[in-house]
Amino acid sequence: MKKRIITVLSILFILILTSCNYEEEIEIENPKLYPAYILESNEELWGYIDEEGKFLVEPKYNTANDFSEGLALVEKDGLFGVLDSEGKEILKIEFTNINKIENGYMTAFKDDSVMIFNYSGEELKLDREYRNIGVYSDGLFGVLIMDKEGDFKFGYIDESGNEIIKPKYSLAYPFRLSRAIVKEDEVFKVIDKKDKEFKTLEFTDIKPSSNKDYYIYSSTGDNFGLLDKDGDILIQDKYSAIVDVNEDLVVVGELDGQTESFGLLNVRGDNILETKYNDIKLLGEGYIAVSEELGLAEKNIYSILDEKLKKISEEKYYNIGGRSGKIENNIISVVSELETYAIDLEGNIVEEIPITKGYGEVYMDENIIRSHVDGERLYYNMDGQIIWEADKTYTIDSNREIVSKTYKDGDGINVNYPHFIGFAEREIQDEINKKILDQFTKDEGILEEKYNYFKTNYEITKMGNIIQVNKLEKMLMRNKIEEDTNREIYNINIDSGKFYTLEDIFKEDSNYIEKINNIISEKLLLEIDNIGIKKIAPVRRNQDFKIKDDKLYLYLRYEDSLKVLKGYEEIEMELEELKDIINFESDVFINMGEKNKYNRKS
């Protein structure tokens, strides 16, 4: 297994100010609202639905986050705001960024100014301007200024904006129970709220752990241990990594040559599990996931142990706990054999939650089931009925549409492809759909199930009378370690059904293939010259392409001549390079409606 790198030497001030929660969580019941969208003119507009799938917050945002502590972050046209549980914008959509919403306060940026707001949207008055403001913890905010020498300095203010400790430290972590660890003149110290030094710490590096009560430290920069909030040593710095700290459990790493293995201690340093695992995850409530073997594409496969270290599952899960990586509402989201489902704390499958083909996560609230598998969001009620699902319908015109279909045949094969409907000329519609399905399922081996997994998604763009389908494939062949990736573009005339290829944009009898291959070879020469390849010739007459903003884009497939490039490679060329051989009056340019300086009418 590759060595896991734990970076302690360089800690960015943004992370220091915004990522450490050192306050008891405010108990706010999250509202029963869930982000969802509608399609309007083929654009996703996000709002919030209730447990019956009805929109209670008007869908008008470009993005909408889940509620946390009774508030939700939304974005429109690159600016951010915050909604309360009734859908009211307590912070209007006018901020360039809004930091973590925690402990009753949030930090918002507007132009060059940073502000603090409470959960009612009321701004706290500040006596001066700061470069950044951290989370509220133990009655104080961490703040950042730049001094006259251009150095960043940290200090602390209270909720009235008064400076309690003037900015003078090169590092300053949040207070916890009237103690904070700071750094001044390359020396770490523990101080109290009166800026009185409580203790000097003779360590090279210190940073907060994932558990708010502890710090990871190092005396040399190479090995790591654990401190309590007062800077007292709990675990000696003899481990190659302190990976996670949750409740009173600590995941540690040890190196044997280039191989790093992981074990489990408690915060007192007592051994819980010997250091022999590929990986260990702390799931909360005393539960852990351990991996002793590698699965697909060198991914860890896990079994789950309860708080008494009793195994509740065999080693078969690829993803444990979803994005949070934790137990939620007494269930654990898991992926096994490319199916996503949930198990309870005894290892039994939760029957109320549907089993979904694909890789993702599921959660169960009081009255709703949330699924996010293969990038698609889905909501069920407790009877297993879908109350909302993503709408991938693309409207071409008043009659014609493109809907999303899925082709599945065997474990791991999951192909999402576009299907055209509503055409008056059914023969043209059927011809397009047949060719699309053939193109999306053509790869050798897909029907014979030679893949560990094969996933395909796409994007749609309309250009004049041409629909452009941008397909992206990700696949892993059996008995291989490395994933392959391909991208292809299909330019389809929706009136004639013709699929345009590269030769359709060039003049007859032109030497475009030779010229393009020469250009590509020159562009890639620096990348491939070190292994002795001087020229490649990947372009075909039926090559797919994209034209945009006076440029031609080609997407080269993962083929023998290109294996050194590790997957698809986008090649970009100025039309200026090819203007002598391109036919700007061709059927492609006419139907595409593409306006460039060569065919633009004066």
Side-chain angles (χ1 to χ4, degrees), residues 266-290:
N266 61 27
V267 294
R268 296 176 298 279
D270 302 323
N271 286 315
I272 306 297
L273 290 175
E274 62 180 299
T275 309
K276 67 173 186 178
Y277 296 94
N278 290 328
D279 194 24
I280 298 177
K281 293 180 180 293
L282 302 179
L283 305 178
E285 301 184 28
Y287 282 66
I288 61 175
V290 297

Side-chain angles (χ1 to χ4, degrees), residues 291-469:
S291 171
E292 296 183 74
E293 296 182 12
L294 296 177
L296 303 183
E298 290 193 307
K299 289 184 178 180
N300 287 301
I301 52 176
Y302 298 87
S303 55
I304 300 175
L305 311 183
D306 65 16
E307 71 276 11
K308 296 180 180 179
L309 302 182
K310 176 185 176 183
K311 186 179 289 188
I312 69 166
S313 76
E314 295 302 320
E315 193 168 57
K316 64 177 182 179
Y317 300 123
Y318 288 97
N319 184 23
I320 307 285
R323 284 168 291 180
S324 70
K326 306 298 180 187
I327 294 171
E328 292 195 15
N329 294 325
N330 294 319
I331 68 167
I332 307 171
S333 175
V334 295
V335 175
S336 176
E337 297 180 352
L338 296 176
E339 288 183 332
T340 298
Y341 53 97
I343 60 174
D344 62 23
L345 299 187
E346 295 180 354
N348 303 310
I349 293 177
V350 179
E351 296 181 357
E352 293 88 347
I353 297 181
I355 296 175
T356 306
K357 281 281 187 182
Y359 193 97
E361 57 199 350
V362 288
Y363 302 101
M364 184 168 64
D365 295 338
E366 184 179 347
N367 295 309
I368 201 171
I369 297 166
R370 298 173 287 144
S371 170
H372 198 264
V373 176
D374 289 339
E376 299 295 340
R377 192 182 286 257
L378 194 65
Y379 297 117
Y380 301 87
N381 62 23
M382 299 309 292
D383 294 327
Q385 298 171 326
I386 295 174
I387 63 170
W388 183 88
E389 61 182 324
D391 183 2
K392 294 299 181 183
T393 302
Y394 186 97
T395 301
I396 299 174
D397 50 37
S398 57
N399 296 316
R400 295 179 291 186
E401 294 179 334
I402 303 172
V403 297
S404 182
K405 287 196 171 185
T406 302
Y407 174 89
K408 296 184 180 183
D409 184 26
D411 290 343
I413 295 177
N414 188 33
V415 177
N416 296 314
Y417 65 94
H419 184 76
F420 292 70
I421 60 174
F423 283 54
E425 298 285 344
R426 287 298 300 273
E427 290 183 1
I428 293 176
Q429 174 182 300
D430 293 345
E431 181 182 345
I432 292 174
N433 284 332
K434 182 181 184 304
K435 191 163 185 178
I436 282 287
L437 183 59
D438 289 343
Q439 291 292 327
F440 271 68
T441 59
K442 68 183 179 182
D443 290 82
E444 182 180 356
I446 187 169
L447 297 178
E448 292 80 11
E449 302 179 27
K450 295 180 181 178
Y451 294 95
N452 275 329
Y453 64 81
F454 186 108
K455 298 178 181 179
T456 303
N457 279 303
Y458 65 90
E459 294 178 352
I460 298 292
T461 303
K462 188 174 186 292
M463 302 181 67
N465 202 38
I466 291 176
I467 290 293
Q468 192 174 89
V469 179

